[in-house]
Amino acid sequence: DTAVSQTPKYLVTQMGNDKSIKCEQNLGHDTMYWYKQDSKKFLKIMFSYNNKELIINETVPNRFSPKSPDKAHLNLHINSLELGDSAVYFCASSPASDPTQYFGPGTRLTVL
Amino acid sequence: AQSVSQHNHHVILSEAASLELGCNYSYGGTVNLFWYVQYPGQHLQLLLKYFSGDPLVKGIKGFEAEFIKSKFSFNLRKPSVQWSDTAEYFCALGGATNKLIFGTGTLLAVQP
């Protein structure tokens, strides 16, 4: 009965590659988010989608492209990976009437 | 601009000691405040939240927090910590938009 799930859990890749991270929530929530947690554990929002529509884009390089095929899924595609992209990426979701966000298990991305 | 400050970056306590972690926020509008916990290698879990009403909110695992509007604070407390409380604790602010602004986190180490 996983609420917010992400795949893969770990991702190790070379600089310059393109990779995707997938997120799915079975909570029936309308809004989904991507956060980046850096090596100092600082969490910062990247994107937010509401019912498949982009509502928050926090000055993230355009190498990062979110895509929401339906309101239960929010994927993150990253082009031309750089060393500085190494981080843990968390997906989250929240219901329409409540700002509480529920987080996925995270994807640890390591760029070599 | 919205911001969250957590002044205690690293706290070390012995089991059964009392805990108070500081959180101050900056925002002029109606606030939603959260405390999340991240156990080693795991995702963020919601401890408690405040939207309105009674400023003393109780959460899971014996944690509570008090919203003091005049001090722009939302400190987290627990009367007696256990070794299993060792984790990173994040205070977060939700304002007018859906995004959460996180503090830099406090790493709590409880010694048996």
Side-chain angles (χ1 to χ4, degrees), chain A residues 31 33 35 37 41-43 45 55-56 58 90 98-105, chain B residues 32 34 36 38 41-44 46 49 51 88 90 97-100 102-104:
Chain A
T31 309
Y33 312 80
Y35 286 84
Q37 186 176 46
K41 296 293 186 78
F42 183 61
L43 274 152
I45 191 163
I55 55 172
I56 294 175
E58 286 286 307
F90 286 100
D98 184 339
T100 307
Q101 295 183 22
Y102 299 87
F103 286 79
Chain B
N32 299 311
F34 306 84
Y36 283 88
Q38 187 176 28
Q42 295 190 27
H43 65 288
L44 286 95
L46 180 68
K49 59 187 178 183
F51 293 165
E88 188 100 27
F90 293 93
T97 63
N98 281 19
K99 66 181 180 183
L100 291 181
F102 283 88
T104 49

Side-chain angles (χ1 to χ4, degrees), chain B residues 16-35:
Chain B
S18 64
L19 169 72
E20 180 159 3
L21 301 182
C23 173
N24 288 91
Y25 67 91
S26 174
Y27 182 60
T30 301
V31 297
N32 299 311
L33 291 159
F34 306 84
W35 276 98

Side-chain angles (χ1 to χ4, degrees), chain B residues 78-97:
Chain B
K78 185 171 184 178
S80 175
V81 294
Q82 301 172 314
W83 178 79
S84 58
D85 293 324
T86 294
E88 188 100 27
Y89 291 81
F90 293 93
C91 182
L93 165 69
T97 63

Side-chain angles (χ1 to χ4, degrees), chain A residues 32-104:
Chain A
M32 296 184 72
Y33 312 80
W34 277 111
Y35 286 84
K36 180 180 180 180
Q37 186 176 46
D38 63 22
S39 58
K40 295 183 179 179
K41 296 293 186 78
F42 183 61
L43 274 152
K44 187 169 166 49
I45 191 163
M46 300 173 69
F47 300 104
S48 174
Y49 270 73
N50 183 267
N51 270 322
K52 304 193 296 175
E53 189 176 330
L54 179 67
I55 55 172
I56 294 175
N57 182 343
E58 286 286 307
T59 59
V60 177
N62 57 16
R63 298 182 295 104
F64 290 79
S65 52
K67 191 167 185 180
S68 182
D70 56 63
K71 75 172 194 176
H73 295 84
L74 180 62
N75 303 325
L76 184 64
H77 187 77
I78 316 170
N79 289 325
S80 303
L81 278 154
E82 300 177 357
L83 292 176
D85 298 331
S86 294
V88 181
Y89 292 84
F90 286 100
C91 177
S93 70
S94 65
S97 57
D98 184 339
T100 307
Q101 295 183 22
Y102 299 87
F103 286 79

